[in-house]
Amino acid sequence: MNRKLLTLFLSAFIVLSYATEKNINVTKNALRAPAYPLITIDPYTSGWSFSDKLYDSSVKHWTGKDLPLLGVIKVDNKVYRFMGVEEPELSPVVCTSEQGDWTGKFTTTKPDNSWINMDYDDSKWAEGKGAFGTTINEPTAKTNWETEHIWVRRVVAINENLKGKNIYLEYSNDDWAIISINGVEVLNTGNACHKNAKIKIPANIVAQLKAGKNIMTAYCRNPVGNGLLDFGLLVEKEKSTAFDRVALQKSVEVQATQTHYVFACGNVDLKLTFTAPLFMDNLNLLSRPVNYISYAVNSTDGKSHKVQLYFEASPRWSLDQAHQESVSESFELNHLVYLKTGSKTQNILGKKGDDVRIDWGYFYLAAEKENTNYSVGNSKKLRADFVKNILTAHAAKGVNENANLALVKTLGIVKQASGKIMVGYDDLYSIQYFGKNLRPYWNTSNDQTIISQFQKANTEYKALIEKCNAFDRKLMADATLSGGKKYAQLCALAYRQAITAHKLVKAPNGDLLFLSKENFSNGSIGTVDVTYPSAPLFLYYNPELAKGLLNAIFYFSESNKWVKPFPSHDVGTYPLANGQTYGGDMPIEESGNMLIVTAAIAVIEGNATYAAKHWDVLTIWAKYLIENGLDPENQLCTDDFAGHFAHNTNLSVKAILGVAAYGHLADMLGKKDIAQQYTNKAREMAQQWTKMADDGDHYRLVFDKQGTWSQKYNLVWDKILHLNIFPKEVIEKEIAYYLTKQNKYGLPLDNRETYTKTDWIMWTATLSKDKATFEKLIDPVYLFTNETEDRVPLSDWIFTDKPTMRGFQARSVVGGFYIKMLEDKLNKQD
């Protein structure tokens, strides 16, 4: 055992011993996740279970699109499905904009109530191509829509008899949508966004769909941000299933790097573990595009049983849309079996946007050759051959269009057996960076291949699984000591989501780039106000990754490609980092973010060398904050979804602490006069702030409106970096007030709405002076996560009075959950 691994084990042992002494069960994660991470490599290769039982739904991309991955065990010739579903095949009856062209009549002026009926006169309405939305940021939008409301009428022709068939409405909406068919409402989304969602249409409404013309109508309200409205109909083709019997899932548990399942399969128990060895102190390993699916079978009756395992993957893992053409093959090399699939077109870096999946490069299943059969082909035949015991290994070079990949592991007649398969993706090129295509970090010098990565993964498997187990235990123990058991369980769930919402590459100048995708929002790349909330995780484990979050923004300004006196919002739309594409600037927001995170890096590292490298541009940003930050004008901030307003007190806090951060950096660099000047200025601004924002027992949302309030989560940096800019009573008064404003599922963001941001609650809770108060603010977030009706990867924008999300999912900002652990680490450094 190497020294680093031994240290990890000993550290975990010490923490666990303490927990045992205090009667704290730290290793078990009892949280019912809204969605369970399975395959987590990067924003594109990201597979999740959206259901409690692994066999109750298809594995899905975080966007909600299916990434079919089937798992089946055969015990004494009896077949049990334990993963995925045999999805019914759906074909368009009425196309969405992604399936074909469609045209509708629309208005942005409210019509009378009869507008949903076929005989309504829409002759004065405008005509446009669907989808309708913000064309600059929504790649599927064909007709630009920027007002708050839109009403759309679409006459559709039905050319087949749909009587008795299962029909689904497919829709995308941002935000609130109401859709009707032939004058009857079939969907009211409420105040929530969806992309390519599907609902089954009730039989009584299907019965009204007649051959010939029908009317579909949709209303959508978008109060702020991007808008989108798209809809169509799908018909289910005749079902044909081979794996109807399911195993009995006994348990599921999420740890930081692994998700563990246990199933009863007749007289055998199956343990299935999904592992992503995401260790941030090893960048080559962090970027290695290979995950493990481990299995272990144990007889429960003391007898030996004949056991086989079947894994099947769809080519959709390498496609943006299900209708795209793919090519698959299989081969053997150096004792490993490989099954490979990719799109036929291979348009590298040819797409950008939010609800977009990769369709270049190749997806792989791999396994050790011994006791492995494999094939590529039609899914129905592959499944039937497995059931009949006639699926045999054969290499399949050449063209196998739209073929699924199947691996069979024959374990023999056993009481116990274990093994693994591997899942990986070779994206060839990952990011376009100011016109230059960049390879993934693991292949920066083009001296590696995906085969070499699989071979390393196979060789290192046992050691990495041991290390993952130790890391998971230690993380849970450390987080429990920091913030309690519920806090620890939330941190474990957030770990893989936060990391794999990024792509790691190296810039042409040698800079490390750890570029986020702004998931389920606008798809921006390198967004500064996504970096800011996610930073605590990376500051805690490896500040080099925190620098990787900032480097592209520094380069954009220092290269004079961006000439404004504040940082850009982003450097493009993922995966194209060629310059800001977001429609508005966030001057104070992003200036404060960059200064504060840079200061945090310096404090963690114990030196300001990184800041010195960027001193000129940091100075420009700090001066901007002094001139404009105390009482902000009407401008965008990170919480722009809540609406824009001037005199934002929390934004002012960020500006003041940005100035203080610059002063602290100057002090670390020995620039004492500058340090004193900027630190004194920050304290002067803070004194003004306390007077301007004071509202008796709390501080206001905006300086000029009494009776308002908001979370002042930005104050957390004053506390954890020990800047000592604001009077301590500011935090104490705010926390006391917040405890009177909590709802069942958390503390609202401010007085205007009942929704909140979970990352900001973590920061606000970290302002608490004791663990008991911290837990009072965290516990409702845990309750929401455990009870939410929205089965998607962690949402950070949720309602506090009902168990539903407002928007956003699978975003890196949940790295902000680690702010409390970061505080404890910084306190230990002092």
Side-chain angles (χ1 to χ4, degrees):
M1 185 180 296
N2 64 41
R3 181 174 295 177
K4 184 177 285 188
L5 186 57
L6 178 61
T7 302
L8 189 59
F9 272 117
L10 289 174
S11 179
F13 175 77
I14 292 168
V15 177
L16 288 168
S17 297
Y18 174 87
T20 301
E21 180 183 335
K22 298 295 183 180
N23 197 30
I24 304 171
N25 180 5
V26 297
T27 58
K28 177 73 175 176
N29 190 345
L31 179 64
R32 185 230 63 176
Y36 293 89
L38 304 178
I39 306 300
T40 47
I41 293 175
D42 61 22
Y44 285 140
T45 307
S46 178
W48 299 72
S49 173
F50 282 31
S51 55
D52 288 331
K53 304 291 193 298
L54 186 57
Y55 46 70
D56 277 350
S57 65
S58 175
V59 175
K60 295 179 182 292
H61 188 259
W62 59 260
T63 56
K65 289 288 180 66
D66 288 343
L67 296 177
L69 185 63
L70 273 177
V72 176
I73 186 170
K74 189 189 293 183
V75 181
D76 298 329
N77 289 318
K78 188 173 284 189
V79 172
Y80 303 86
R81 174 169 44 85
F82 59 82
M83 175 169 61
V85 296
E86 296 179 89
E87 286 279 9
E89 188 176 353
L90 303 176
S91 61
V93 176
V94 176
C95 68
T96 65
S97 65
E98 296 178 62
Q99 297 156 349
D101 294 331
W102 68 270
T103 301
K105 291 290 194 74
F106 71 97
T107 182
T108 55
T109 303
K110 185 177 181 179
D112 65 51
N113 291 338
S114 66
W115 76 280
I116 62 175
N117 298 324
M118 175 65 86
D119 58 1
Y120 180 83
D121 182 7
D122 60 13
S123 59
K124 295 182 180 180
W125 288 27
E127 185 173 87
K129 291 183 176 181
F132 296 82
T134 312
T135 53
I136 190 172
N137 287 319
E138 292 288 356
T140 60
K142 305 294 194 304
T143 297
N144 197 42
W145 160 47
E146 295 182 345
T147 60
E148 183 174 351
H149 306 275
I150 192 169
W151 291 261
V152 176
R153 286 171 51 85
R154 181 181 180 188
V155 176
V156 300
I158 304 293
N159 299 318
E160 59 183 288
N161 183 5
L162 301 180
K163 185 176 181 181
K165 296 184 178 180
N166 292 325
I167 307 298
Y168 296 81
L169 171 69
E170 182 173 2
Y171 61 97
S172 298
N173 67 288
D174 188 351
D175 292 350
W176 193 318
I178 301 173
I179 298 176
S180 301
I181 297 175
N182 289 330
V184 180
E185 182 179 306
V186 295
L187 173 73
N188 187 327
T189 66
N191 199 10
C193 306
H194 302 85
K195 295 284 182 71
N196 300 104
K198 300 179 185 69
I199 61 163
K200 188 175 181 181
I201 297 175
N204 64 312
I205 297 178
V206 173
Q208 296 181 33
L209 286 168
K210 55 186 181 294
K213 291 183 178 180
N214 296 262
I215 184 72
M216 295 184 70
T217 59
Y219 159 75
C220 195
R221 176 175 180 253
N222 180 46
V224 68
N226 297 325
L228 181 64
L229 181 61
D230 195 8
F231 51 95
L233 297 176
L234 303 167
V235 61
E236 182 179 314
K237 294 185 177 181
E238 186 176 344
K239 284 186 177 180
S240 176
T241 58
F243 307 136
D244 290 328
R245 184 188 294 111
V246 296
L248 174 64
Q249 184 174 305
K250 298 171 72 173
S251 66
V252 58
E253 180 183 2
V254 176
Q255 294 288 342
T257 66
Q258 302 182 95
T259 301
H260 304 282
Y261 288 89
V262 177
F263 304 92
C265 314
N267 292 318
V268 165
D269 274 1
L270 168 66
K271 181 178 180 182
L272 194 74
T273 298
F274 297 85
T275 304
L278 297 169
F279 299 113
M280 286 183 267
D281 60 349
N282 184 336
L283 298 186
N284 284 314
L285 181 58
L286 183 72
S287 67
R288 181 185 293 168
V290 179
N291 281 191
Y292 303 107
I293 303 177
S294 305
Y295 54 83
V297 297
N298 287 280
S299 171
T300 58
D301 63 359
K303 299 178 181 179
S304 296
H305 298 277
K306 184 179 179 182
V307 180
Q308 286 183 304
L309 287 163
Y310 173 91
F311 296 95
E312 180 194 316
S314 164
R316 276 194 259 175
W317 281 85
S318 61
L319 304 175
D320 178 30
Q321 298 296 327
H323 58 77
Q324 289 181 269
E325 293 185 326
S326 63
V327 178
S328 303
E329 64 175 293
S330 59
F331 57 94
E332 300 176 10
L333 186 63
N334 297 331
H335 309 294
L336 291 178
V337 169
Y338 296 90
L339 290 86
K340 170 184 177 182
T341 186
S343 70
K344 206 170 183 179
T345 55
Q346 289 296 310
N347 185 14
I348 294 174
L349 295 169
K351 291 183 177 179
K352 64 177 181 177
D354 180 31
D355 186 20
V356 175
R357 286 139 301 278
I358 195 167
D359 59 3
W360 65 90
Y362 297 93
F363 172 82
Y364 289 81
L365 288 182
E368 292 178 325
K369 181 180 176 181
E370 185 178 4
N371 300 320
T372 301
N373 286 339
Y374 59 94
S375 187
V376 299
N378 175 270
S379 60
K380 291 181 182 178
K381 185 176 188 309
L382 292 172
R383 297 166 194 176
D385 286 353
F386 173 69
V387 171
K388 297 174 184 176
N389 297 311
I390 60 174
L391 192 152
T392 57
H394 66 280
K397 293 282 187 182
V399 177
N400 294 272
E401 296 187 0
N402 307 318
N404 281 26
L405 317 177
L407 276 174
V408 177
K409 297 296 295 185
T410 300
L411 307 187
I413 300 174
V414 296
K415 289 184 179 179
Q416 291 183 328
S418 61
K420 52 103 177 34
I421 68 168
M422 296 175 285
V423 176
Y425 204 100
D426 183 6
D427 59 3
L428 306 178
Y429 288 91
S430 303
I431 299 292
Q432 186 174 97
Y433 187 66
F434 295 99
K436 183 175 179 60
N437 291 353
L438 303 182
R439 298 181 186 275
Y441 182 87
W442 60 267
N443 194 28
T444 297
S445 301
N446 195 24
D447 58 355
Q448 297 290 311
T449 67
I450 191 65
I451 301 302
S452 70
Q453 297 304 296
F454 273 110
Q455 289 173 338
K456 290 177 183 178
N458 189 56
T459 301
E460 299 169 11
Y461 168 71
K462 289 184 179 179
L464 287 176
I465 293 298
E466 287 181 2
K467 189 174 180 182
C468 284
N469 290 335
F471 179 87
D472 291 348
R473 288 192 297 267
K474 185 177 186 303
L475 187 150
M476 286 289 281
D478 288 348
T480 299
L481 293 177
S482 281
K485 187 175 179 180
K486 292 178 180 177
Y487 170 70
Q489 293 177 16
L490 289 167
C491 285
L493 179 58
Y495 187 83
R496 277 173 280 170
Q497 175 173 316
I499 295 171
T500 58
H502 299 81
K503 193 68 181 184
L504 188 66
V505 294
K506 186 175 282 189
N509 67 358
D511 281 348
L512 187 70
L513 301 175
F514 194 46
L515 295 167
S516 64
K517 178 174 182 180
E518 193 171 343
N519 290 347
F520 214 81
S521 181
N522 53 32
S524 292
I525 186 170
T527 303
V528 181
D529 55 294
V530 168
T531 287
Y532 177 67
S534 70
L537 173 62
F538 309 110
L539 289 164
Y540 185 87
Y541 282 107
N542 187 351
E544 290 301 318
L545 289 172
K547 296 174 189 176
L549 297 171
L550 306 184
N551 282 335
I553 300 296
F554 277 126
Y555 172 77
F556 196 18
S557 285
E558 291 165 348
S559 65
N560 291 321
K561 299 176 190 296
W562 177 265
V563 297
K564 297 179 182 180
F566 47 80
S568 63
H569 167 271
D570 57 77
V571 288
T573 301
Y574 196 93
L576 307 183
N578 295 319
Q580 178 170 310
T581 53
Y582 188 66
D585 295 331
M586 298 186 181
I588 294 174
E589 175 73 39
E590 312 303 21
S591 297
N593 292 342
M594 292 293 291
L595 283 156
I596 290 169
V597 177
T598 302
I601 290 169
V603 172
I604 282 283
E605 293 192 321
N607 67 77
T609 303
Y610 181 69
K613 180 181 176 181
H614 304 292
W615 194 248
D616 289 348
V617 74
L618 288 170
T619 302
I620 293 170
W621 297 341
K623 288 180 177 178
Y624 182 88
L625 292 179
I626 286 178
E627 294 171 5
N628 301 280
L630 176 60
D631 189 5
E633 62 184 14
N634 191 352
Q635 64 177 250
L636 292 168
C637 72
T638 189
D639 301 323
D640 62 342
F641 51 81
H644 311 156
F645 50 86
H647 318 300
N648 183 336
T649 60
N650 189 45
L651 186 59
S652 176
V653 169
K654 180 172 287 183
I656 294 167
L657 293 179
V659 173
Y662 181 82
H664 191 69
L665 289 167
D667 185 63
M668 293 182 73
L669 290 170
K671 302 175 185 290
K672 300 301 181 181
D673 290 345
I674 295 175
Q676 184 176 15
Q677 175 190 348
Y678 278 81
T679 301
N680 288 343
K681 184 61 180 179
R683 289 187 177 132
E684 175 192 321
M685 294 168 75
Q687 289 295 332
Q688 292 176 272
W689 185 96
T690 58
K691 295 175 183 177
M692 295 163 60
D694 188 61
D695 208 39
D697 59 354
H698 68 282
Y699 296 93
R700 301 172 184 174
L701 165 70
V702 289
F703 290 124
D704 60 339
K705 290 187 180 179
Q706 295 181 350
T708 61
W709 67 272
S710 64
Q711 290 188 47
K712 310 300 188 302
Y713 54 81
N714 287 315
L715 283 168
V716 73
W717 297 105
D718 196 29
K719 181 173 185 258
I720 71 174
L721 297 181
H722 305 294
L723 298 174
N724 301 316
I725 300 300
F726 284 84
K728 286 185 169 37
E729 54 266 27
V730 171
I731 290 176
E732 292 171 359
K733 181 158 56 170
E734 282 289 280
I735 289 291
Y737 188 78
Y738 297 154
L739 293 174
T740 71
K741 293 296 180 181
Q742 288 211 105
N743 290 327
K744 181 177 180 179
Y745 296 113
L747 177 67
L749 185 63
D750 56 50
N751 60 271
R752 292 173 296 169
E753 299 278 358
T754 60
Y755 56 62
T756 193
K757 292 281 272 82
T758 56
D759 48 341
W760 297 150
I761 285 182
M762 294 287 181
W763 291 31
T764 294
T766 303
L767 293 171
S768 304
K769 62 181 179 180
D770 57 71
K771 190 173 178 181
T773 304
F774 176 86
E775 291 182 306
K776 285 180 183 177
L777 290 160
I778 295 303
D779 286 357
V781 177
Y782 180 93
L783 183 66
F784 176 90
T785 307
N786 204 53
E787 295 184 354
T788 179
E789 298 168 2
D790 295 305
R791 306 310 302 272
V792 297
L794 275 173
S795 171
D796 55 287
W797 186 16
I798 67 171
F799 288 104
T800 62
D801 56 349
K802 55 187 176 183
T804 55
M805 59 184 274
R806 173 61 182 83
F808 300 158
Q809 64 196 47
R811 304 204 317 153
S812 65
V813 301
V814 296
F817 288 12
Y818 285 75
I819 190 81
K820 179 60 178 165
M821 293 178 70
L822 179 63
E823 179 189 34
D824 291 349
K825 183 172 185 175
L826 291 171
N827 286 340
K828 289 175 184 176
Q829 286 186 187
D830 290 346

